[in-house]
């Protein structure tokens, strides 16, 4: 059918202006003819366009075209880009702790929070369940020495 359509286009001379021998027609249709229907080369896309429109479709409008993530440069389909960027480990995020202004990648957030001075921590002393900001832990430990000693002795 595609061959018949292209041949009709050639006969009408309304679209393709190719001239040549019948022996060269197959190669023209297979590789060159701008009016020949071709299937999009993007994985997952089965749309067929005239060869002359395929470059624009596959590069600019195809929902399966590949684009790089702005954070990690991983190649994603345009349809999946938003989901990827929403979970990309290289995307930056702000520390959720009040008072901390640090911006880190998602991949580094756990490590940052393990040392963030604005993170709430529970006193490491047995029997003490007080919480404080990490930046105030030394002050708490110094102020509660007596309580901590009694807790360590089981009293």
């Amino acid at each position: 059918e595609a061959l018949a359509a292209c041949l009709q286009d050639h006969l009408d001379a309304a679209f393709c202006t190719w001239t040549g021998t019948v022996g060269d027609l197959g190669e023209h249709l297979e590789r060159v003819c701008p009016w020949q229907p071709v299937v999009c080369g993007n994985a997952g896309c089965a749309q067929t366009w005239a060869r002359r429109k395929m470059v624009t479709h596959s590069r600019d409008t195809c929902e399966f075209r590949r684009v790089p993530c702005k954070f990690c440069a991983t190649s994603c389909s345009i349809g999946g880009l938003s989901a990827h960027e929403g979970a990309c480990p290289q995307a930056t995020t702000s520390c959720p702790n009040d008072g901390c202004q640090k911006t880190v990648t998602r991949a580094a957030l756990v490590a940052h929070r393990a040392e963030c001075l604005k993170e709430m921590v529970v006193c490491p002393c047995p029997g003490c369940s007080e919480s404080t900001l990490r930046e105030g832990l030394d002050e708490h430990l110094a102020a509660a020495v007596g309580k901590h000693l009694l807790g360590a002795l089981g009293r």
Side-chain angles (χ1 to χ4, degrees), residues 9-26:
D9 288 345
H10 281 82
L11 292 174
D12 291 343
F15 301 106
C16 184
T17 58
W18 176 80
T19 58
T21 66
V22 173
D24 292 337
L25 179 60

Side-chain angles (χ1 to χ4, degrees), residues 1 23-24 33 35 56-57 77 82 95 97 104 107-108 115 140 147:
E1 290 181 285
D24 292 337
C33 181
W35 299 96
T56 300
H57 164 76
S77 69
S82 179
C95 177
N97 294 323
V104 296
E115 61 185 30
H140 163 75
K147 177 182 174 184

Side-chain angles (χ1 to χ4, degrees), residues 118-125 127-141 147-148:
K118 301 298 181 179
E119 182 83 12
M120 289 297 292
V121 295
V122 176
C123 178
C125 295
C128 183
S129 59
E130 286 193 43
S131 294
T132 183
L133 293 176
R134 183 173 279 113
E135 68 185 355
L137 183 59
D138 288 344
E139 185 178 320
H140 163 75
L141 292 172
K147 177 182 174 184
H148 292 151

Side-chain angles (χ1 to χ4, degrees), residues 63 65 67-71 74-88 91 106:
E63 64 185 278
R65 71 188 182 277
V67 291
C69 168
K70 64 184 174 187
F71 303 112
T74 295
S75 178
C76 303
S77 69
I78 191 73
L81 183 63
S82 179
H84 169 81
E85 288 183 349
C88 180
R106 282 191 185 105

